[in-house]
Amino acid sequence: MSGLTQLQAMGTAERRKEARTVIASSYLGSTIEFYDFLLYATASAVVFPKVFFSGMDDWVGVVAAYATFAAGYVARPLGGIIFGHFGDRMGRKGMLIISMLVMGVASTLIGLVPGASVIGPWGAVLLVILRVFQGIAVGGEWGGAALMALEHSEAGKRGFAASFVNAGAPTGAVLGTLIMGTFSALPNDQFLAWGWRVPFLLSFVLLGVGMFVRLKVSESPIFKAALEQEKAEQEMSGTGGDKPVMPLLQVLRRPKTLIFTMLAGAAGFGLQVVLATFAVTYTVSKGADRQGVLYAYAAASLVSIVFVLLGGKLSDKVGRRPVMIGGLVLFVIYLVPMFALLSSNNIVLIFVAFAIGLMIHSTLFGPLAAFVSEQFGTTSRYTGASLGYQLATLLGAGFTPGIVAQIFKDSGQQTSSVVWFLAIMSAVSIVFILLTREPKDNDLQTVQA
């Protein structure tokens, strides 16, 4: 059945059932992908400085470990371009299957990389290579999962539907942090020798689960209809033999949209990754128990999942921009008390610090999937959304842990300089959110936008 016929033939109840299936699949797939991707963040905070950068000053080792972490963010835009191109030309579903396969294999292999005591600096080199493949995979995953949820949903519910994809990030973080936290209970020498590797090796099991679910999901009917419309328009204009314009070129013809989208989303990712990396390292450096900190972060991430969905739902009512701006403003106000709570060496207060921070962040994170995706037309949406989103992660999150750790070290370990850096980053994003059009009521069936 063609895409146009499928859209017309499906009744409301049938479309809603199909949408629920696709949203659940996108959520599960995103959870698995971000389990793998963010597990690396936890490991770079508590393991890699000692395993792959031993012999250095503690905070120098942390900065070096965060540099390997950044490699994944550098690769994410490349993944967005590669998977986006084929996703816009051939379909969303196939690209999602391939991206999950790449991520699962790369993450499993990270668990097998020998440490510096065995192969010296080559361990760090292998880490970077595998981290790049992780970045390529997640760069392709997010756009496809968000678009599948978005393009199967009814108008007026798209923000809520797409927020399930972003909810996969904290869910994956919970899963990864809990598993890493469990193995961190081992004696320190055993944890650093082999315990940290088990969560990465479990990626292979999750890969099997994810592939099973992904294979059962149907292609986006809006995408199929858009391809047919584009083909019909070419035939009517007598250009049926011409090759369609590359999705990347369609996106680059409107660079303003791409640049504004990237800068609007950057701070959200910067704040997210600071919580997952620097905040954990900072808290442990103040004397808190490593396992307790990881469990506190996992519990707070679990609470935050609800707020991702609430943020997406609220954005369907009042718009994407007001919710995102409100979240950024609240987070900046909260930064000073957050660091005070994190340095308390009281596990209850540490949990409260993470919980409030993640709840505020999740509210602004919820609408982000729809905000980015709705800026682009159907035949370039996978490329445009993936590239805009992944460039925002590169700019906002890729180098932020290393920059923040270096600022903290150079300032004599004063958090005020970190607060100023994050506040300025947030202010820049607020400006570009205001400059970017509100996309809540855009027509998703527009072929080009």
Side-chain angles (χ1 to χ4, degrees):
M1 183 181 291
S2 72
L4 287 167
T5 306
Q6 184 179 350
L7 280 172
Q8 294 164 354
M10 292 176 70
T12 302
E14 187 180 357
R15 289 193 66 178
R16 286 177 177 172
K17 181 180 179 181
E18 177 73 8
R20 286 194 294 270
T21 302
V22 170
I23 290 167
S25 170
S26 293
Y27 172 65
L28 177 61
S30 179
T31 296
I32 293 171
E33 291 266 358
F34 278 97
Y35 163 83
D36 290 332
F37 195 74
L38 296 176
L39 184 64
Y40 193 104
T42 303
S44 69
V46 299
V47 176
F48 293 166
K50 297 178 177 64
V51 174
F52 295 101
F53 302 98
S54 56
M56 296 181 178
D57 173 78
D58 285 348
W59 278 101
V60 172
V62 168
V63 172
Y66 286 166
T68 70
F69 173 79
Y73 284 92
V74 173
R76 282 174 70 159
L78 176 60
I81 292 171
I82 295 171
F83 284 93
H85 173 81
F86 291 104
D88 281 325
R89 295 267 63 92
M90 300 169 61
R92 310 344 187 172
K93 178 179 175 179
M95 296 304 104
L96 286 172
I97 292 171
I98 295 172
S99 71
M100 180 169 284
L101 181 63
V102 173
M103 175 63 86
V105 172
S107 300
T108 302
L109 290 176
I110 286 172
L112 299 174
V113 175
S117 62
V118 178
I119 60 173
W122 286 106
V125 172
L126 291 174
L127 267 188
V128 171
I129 292 171
L130 293 171
R131 181 61 175 171
V132 166
F133 277 101
Q134 275 195 322
I136 290 172
V138 83
E141 160 69 24
W142 179 88
L147 267 55
M148 288 287 277
L150 204 72
E151 293 177 350
H152 277 85
S153 301
E154 301 174 51
K157 297 182 179 179
R158 299 194 308 239
F160 182 59
S163 69
F164 277 87
V165 178
N166 277 4
T171 309
V174 169
L175 187 60
T177 307
L178 281 175
I179 294 176
M180 186 67 81
T182 299
F183 283 93
S184 74
L186 290 166
N188 196 55
D189 59 338
Q190 293 183 37
F191 174 65
L192 294 177
W194 61 268
W196 70 269
R197 299 178 182 276
V198 179
F200 285 98
L201 297 177
L202 288 175
S203 298
F204 199 74
V205 177
L206 294 176
L207 172 63
V209 175
M211 292 291 282
F212 175 78
V213 173
R214 278 276 158 85
L215 289 168
K216 293 182 174 294
V217 173
S218 62
E219 183 58 85
S220 160
I222 286 180
F223 168 74
K224 291 166 67 177
L227 280 190
E228 292 162 10
Q229 180 184 338
E230 184 180 58
K231 182 179 179 181
E233 289 175 352
Q234 288 175 345
E235 290 175 351
M236 289 180 63
S237 64
T239 60
D242 294 347
K243 290 184 178 180
V245 178
M246 284 182 61
L248 180 59
L249 293 180
Q250 291 184 39
V251 172
L252 294 180
R253 283 175 175 175
R254 298 173 59 228
K256 177 181 172 181
T257 301
L258 182 64
I259 293 169
F260 280 25
T261 301
M262 171 185 71
L263 293 170
F269 293 107
L271 297 174
Q272 178 191 49
V273 80
V274 164
L275 286 169
T277 57
F278 176 78
V280 172
T281 307
Y282 172 78
T283 306
V284 173
S285 74
K286 291 296 181 181
D289 174 67
R290 178 181 61 203
Q291 185 183 29
V293 173
L294 291 176
Y295 282 151
Y297 181 78
S301 296
L302 187 63
V303 174
S304 76
I305 294 168
V306 176
F307 286 83
V308 176
L309 304 179
L310 288 175
K313 194 171 186 64
L314 181 61
S315 77
D316 284 328
K317 303 293 184 184
V318 303
R320 321 299 184 210
R321 298 192 305 169
V323 179
M324 293 169 65
I325 291 171
L328 285 170
V329 171
L330 287 175
F331 204 106
V332 170
I333 294 171
Y334 175 63
L335 281 170
V336 172
M338 182 184 79
F339 281 116
L341 291 169
L342 290 175
S343 63
S344 66
N345 206 9
N346 181 309
I347 201 65
V348 175
L349 295 179
I350 290 168
F351 165 74
V352 170
F354 280 131
I356 296 174
L358 285 168
M359 284 188 291
I360 295 172
H361 175 268
S362 295
T363 303
L364 75 92
F365 194 51
L368 190 58
F371 174 82
V372 173
S373 302
E374 290 166 336
Q375 304 290 338
F376 302 93
T378 305
T379 54
S380 64
R381 186 172 293 132
Y382 200 144
T383 302
S386 295
L387 193 55
Y389 193 89
Q390 303 310 334
L391 286 173
T393 67
L394 172 60
L395 183 64
F399 302 104
T400 296
I403 292 171
V404 167
Q406 189 67 50
I407 289 173
F408 182 70
K409 177 178 175 293
D410 292 345
S411 65
Q413 301 189 10
Q414 298 296 314
T415 57
S416 57
S417 55
V418 173
V419 170
W420 274 109
F421 174 80
L422 297 175
I424 292 169
M425 179 186 289
S426 299
V428 171
S429 279
I430 288 171
V431 169
F432 281 93
I433 292 171
L434 290 170
L435 292 174
T436 304
R437 62 179 179 174
E438 173 59 60
K440 179 173 74 77
D441 298 318
N442 287 358
D443 180 9
L444 282 194
Q445 295 188 48
T446 300
V447 175
Q448 296 185 13

